[in-house]
Amino acid sequence: MFPSLAHRPWHVFCRVSLQHRSSLSQWSCRFPRGWQIGGTHSFWLSLPDSRVASLGLTSVQYYSTSGDRKDGPPKSKSTDSPSAERVATGAAKVTTNLSVRAVLKKREYGAKYTKNNFITAVRAMNEFCLKPSDLEQLRKIRRRSPHDDTEAFTVFLRSDVEAKALDVWGSSEALDRERNLRKEVEREYQENIFRNQQLIKEYKDFWGNTKPRSGKRATFLQGPGKVVMVAICINGLNFFFKLLAWVYTGSASMFSEAIHSLADTCNQALLALGISQSVRNPDAIHPYGFSNMRYIASLISGVGIFMMGAGLSWYHGIMGLLHPEPIESLLWAYCILAGSLVSEGATLLVAFNELKKSAHKHGMSFYEYVMQSRDPSTNVVLLEDAAAVLGVIIASSCMGLTSLTGNPYYDSLGSLGVGTLLGAVSAFLIYTNTEALLGRSIQPEQVQKLTEFLENDPAVRAIHDVKATDMGLSKVRFKAEVDFDGRVVTRSYLEKQDIDQILNEIQQVKTPEELENFMLKHGENIIDTLGAEVDRLEKELKVQRNPEVRHVDLEIL
């Protein structure tokens, strides 16, 4: 509509609206304070109308926020305006209102902008090779801490740290050489890490850990650790006596039972190793801890049962069918099997009571607790001992048939039956522990409970993409996309501020620059308030609502 405005290279954008309210002589333009007049020039305005044409001569003033008074209209080849004689006589009055709206110039930050980034003192010393004394003269900023045990901590502007590093080392090339030298020293230290294990242990003992250490000895005196240790002792004795009985009688079923007890002993020793590793504290390489070691040990145990127990039992049973041999007196075998039945039954009872107590604690039935493998170590002991009891019954029955009929094929069939039983147990253990390692969701009722808690908070509008994963050892990781109500968050910020002071600051805003500074100041504080709201919700989820929730990730939508 205005040709002269379409080609302006100046940094001012105007929105022009034409309304039929006043005559051309009553045009008025209102500009914000702080705008500077760049110049006054005239132009010819023609407003087409189906009934009458109205042409008028007027002038417009160019305004700019850049402070440059040289801004003006583009130079044209001819500055002559139409003469007054060209104005049509008797033209009707056309009312027009011209308004101008200023828009803040958009800043281009580029692909990489780190001028306003904050870094901690540790990063400043590690990445820029500075000393604590070098940081004392820099600007210190107190920020909200991301850790639960600390309310606030001190950070530095990255630009200040970079400038200080250049001042200390003289040039960026010297700083890069120092970084490479320290990386080389770090690499040499990593190569000799095994020789420094004692030094690291003494360092941790001196400074302490962020979490209390778990006593490994106490781990094997209660709960799953106690069950596993009892099973190791009993199965070890059973293996020894069954092996003697097989050497004395040559029974294939007794050999299968001896192999069965040996497999149980080795697998339960592996479970004990997994339990001891699972209580280790998290470190930099494993930030979520080692709780999954129990599932890994149980998975390997299931594979071991299949390879050692089922495989050897099938092999010995098949060889007995192909090459049957007469069996000696089975009296000692019956006595050892009776003792094994009592000992395996006692271990089975210990594991059953432990799982029943844990299932009641988690509000689940015994069947659901076992099928979902919530306690993998005790679960393995329970299933192994149940298979052992059934295996003793199968072996003794087949040996009795062999004694009555004198046919050694029944004994070989007993070996195949024990191998099949072990194969079924191992397949179940492999399946349940694989499911647990893949990441299994918690009960839908618990997920609904956590979701309702978040949705009932006034600062939350909606919850999306909820994921609650069981990490093992009764540890849950919760993640959700949260749509926060900006009005509630802003009101929470204003409740902690002096309203009179804010009103005074608003009244002092006269220029776009002052408005920008005002919005930037309070906008950053509102973002901090939003972060505090996220911390509050995470803390309530972990401590008050569900103690099993150890890791909470609330992402702002």
Side-chain angles (χ1 to χ4, degrees):
M1 183 173 61
F2 302 114
S4 60
L5 295 179
H7 303 281
R8 291 298 301 149
W10 52 317
H11 306 295
V12 176
F13 297 92
C14 300
R15 179 175 294 178
V16 180
S17 60
L18 300 178
Q19 300 177 2
H20 299 282
R21 292 187 179 176
S22 60
S23 61
L24 293 177
S25 61
Q26 297 175 348
W27 279 13
S28 62
C29 297
R30 296 183 179 180
F31 299 90
R33 295 186 179 182
W35 285 46
Q36 299 180 5
I37 300 175
T40 302
H41 300 272
S42 62
F43 72 99
W44 181 253
L45 176 64
S46 177
L47 299 176
D49 188 85
S50 59
R51 295 168 299 176
V52 63
S54 175
L55 302 175
L57 181 63
T58 185
S59 62
V60 81
Q61 289 182 331
Y62 291 88
Y63 293 82
S64 173
T65 57
S66 62
D68 187 4
R69 291 180 174 272
K70 295 181 180 181
D71 283 350
K75 296 181 180 181
S76 58
K77 297 180 180 180
S78 177
T79 59
D80 296 335
S81 60
S83 61
E85 289 77 10
R86 297 179 58 185
V87 180
T89 59
K93 293 183 178 180
V94 180
T95 60
T96 307
N97 184 20
L98 178 65
S99 61
V100 181
R101 179 182 178 184
V103 179
L104 189 65
K105 180 184 176 182
K106 182 179 180 181
R107 292 188 179 183
E108 297 294 339
Y109 293 101
K112 182 179 180 181
Y113 184 80
T114 59
K115 181 179 179 181
N116 296 331
N117 286 14
F118 293 144
I119 61 174
T120 61
V122 176
R123 284 192 59 191
M125 291 186 290
N126 291 339
E127 297 181 11
F128 295 92
C129 307
L130 297 177
K131 300 178 180 179
S133 57
D134 298 329
L135 303 177
E136 294 179 355
Q137 300 177 355
L138 301 182
R139 289 179 291 178
K140 300 178 178 63
I141 304 172
R142 298 287 290 176
R143 301 293 295 174
R144 180 177 53 84
S145 174
H147 307 290
D148 296 336
D149 55 351
T150 308
E151 294 183 358
F153 70 124
T154 302
V155 294
F156 303 88
L157 276 174
R158 184 186 181 95
S159 57
D160 293 347
V161 175
E162 291 176 348
K164 185 64 178 179
L166 292 178
D167 182 50
V168 171
W169 296 103
S171 63
S172 59
E173 291 78 10
L175 178 60
D176 292 337
R177 287 195 298 269
E178 180 65 21
R179 286 174 176 168
N180 295 332
L181 179 61
R182 296 194 180 189
K183 287 181 180 179
E184 183 67 22
V185 174
E186 179 68 18
R187 186 184 62 81
E188 294 177 358
Y189 173 78
Q190 292 295 334
E191 292 177 353
N192 301 325
I193 189 66
F194 293 104
R195 290 183 292 178
N196 299 321
Q197 287 295 328
Q198 187 62 31
L199 178 62
I200 295 176
K201 183 178 181 300
E202 294 177 358
Y203 175 82
K204 290 182 177 180
D205 292 338
F206 178 78
W207 288 104
N209 289 329
T210 56
K211 295 184 178 180
R213 296 185 178 183
S214 301
K216 293 185 178 180
R217 294 182 179 179
T219 303
F220 293 104
L221 297 178
Q222 58 185 356
K226 177 182 177 181
V227 176
V228 170
M229 294 305 296
V230 171
I232 289 176
C233 296
I234 292 179
N235 285 315
L237 292 175
N238 288 338
F239 165 70
F240 178 74
F241 288 111
K242 288 179 181 179
L243 184 65
L244 291 179
W246 170 70
V247 172
Y248 179 74
T249 62
S251 171
S253 297
M254 187 55 66
F255 175 81
S256 298
E257 279 300 304
I259 294 298
H260 184 183
S261 296
L262 175 63
D264 289 348
T265 304
C266 296
N267 291 327
Q268 286 153 9
L270 183 62
L271 293 178
L273 177 62
I275 291 175
S276 65
Q277 293 294 316
S278 65
V279 297
R280 292 172 57 189
N281 292 322
D283 54 25
I285 302 177
H286 307 90
Y288 290 106
F290 300 84
S291 59
N292 281 337
M293 280 300 300
R294 295 194 182 188
Y295 294 105
I296 295 174
S298 299
L299 178 62
I300 300 175
S301 177
V303 176
I305 292 174
F306 186 83
M307 297 294 293
M308 292 183 60
L312 290 178
S313 296
W314 285 332
Y315 172 78
H316 204 75
I318 293 174
M319 293 302 295
L321 291 175
L322 296 177
H323 307 284
E325 295 181 0
I327 298 177
E328 302 294 334
S329 175
L330 299 177
L331 178 60
W332 285 105
Y334 290 138
C335 294
I336 293 175
L337 285 177
S340 176
L341 181 63
V342 174
S343 60
E344 296 285 3
T347 308
L348 177 63
L349 184 62
V350 172
F352 176 81
N353 291 332
E354 179 64 28
L355 286 175
K356 186 177 180 180
K357 182 172 63 176
S358 299
H360 178 72
K361 180 180 178 181
H362 289 81
M364 302 172 62
S365 65
F366 178 81
Y367 176 77
E368 291 177 346
Y369 196 79
V370 172
M371 293 300 294
Q372 295 181 11
S373 188
R374 295 290 177 175
D375 187 352
S377 301
T378 309
N379 212 28
V380 170
V381 174
L382 175 73
L383 295 176
E384 286 182 347
D385 289 337
V389 171
L390 292 176
V392 168
I393 295 174
I394 293 174
S396 59
S397 300
C398 292
M399 289 169 62
L401 291 175
T402 300
S403 300
L404 292 175
T405 61
N407 188 352
Y409 286 108
Y410 291 109
D411 185 60
S412 299
L413 291 176
S415 179
L416 292 175
V418 172
T420 303
L421 179 64
L422 293 177
V425 171
S426 65
F428 177 79
L429 292 176
I430 291 172
Y431 171 76
T432 55
N433 288 282
T434 301
E435 287 291 315
L437 288 173
L438 288 176
R440 177 179 50 207
S441 177
I442 63 176
Q443 295 295 318
E445 295 79 10
Q446 293 179 301
V447 177
Q448 183 66 23
K449 179 182 176 182
L450 296 174
T451 304
E452 289 179 354
F453 166 73
L454 290 176
E455 290 179 340
N456 292 336
D457 192 275
V460 177
R461 281 178 172 170
I463 303 295
H464 306 281
D465 194 22
V466 177
K467 294 182 177 67
T469 307
D470 185 4
M471 300 176 59
L473 292 181
S474 299
K475 296 181 180 179
V476 176
R477 181 180 180 182
F478 182 83
K479 177 261 179 186
E481 301 275 354
V482 183
D483 185 4
F484 283 91
D485 190 341
R487 297 169 299 178
V488 175
V489 175
T490 305
R491 188 176 292 108
S492 176
Y493 166 70
L494 293 176
E495 290 174 354
K496 303 175 184 178
Q497 306 300 317
D498 187 352
I499 300 300
D500 293 334
Q501 181 180 357
I502 295 179
L503 290 175
N504 187 28
E505 293 178 359
I506 295 175
Q507 294 174 357
Q508 294 179 357
V509 173
K510 305 298 182 183
T511 64
E513 290 78 10
E514 293 176 352
L515 176 61
E516 180 182 3
N517 294 333
F518 175 82
M519 295 299 296
L520 292 177
K521 171 187 174 182
H522 292 282
E524 183 176 9
N525 295 336
I526 291 176
I527 294 298
D528 291 339
T529 303
L530 178 59
E533 291 291 326
V534 173
D535 293 342
R536 176 183 63 82
L537 291 175
E538 291 180 350
K539 184 176 181 181
E540 291 182 358
L541 276 175
K542 290 188 290 186
V543 179
Q544 300 180 7
R545 299 293 172 176
N546 196 338
E548 294 184 352
V549 178
R550 301 296 180 87
H551 306 281
V552 180
D553 299 323
L554 298 182
E555 300 181 5
I556 302 174
L557 187 61

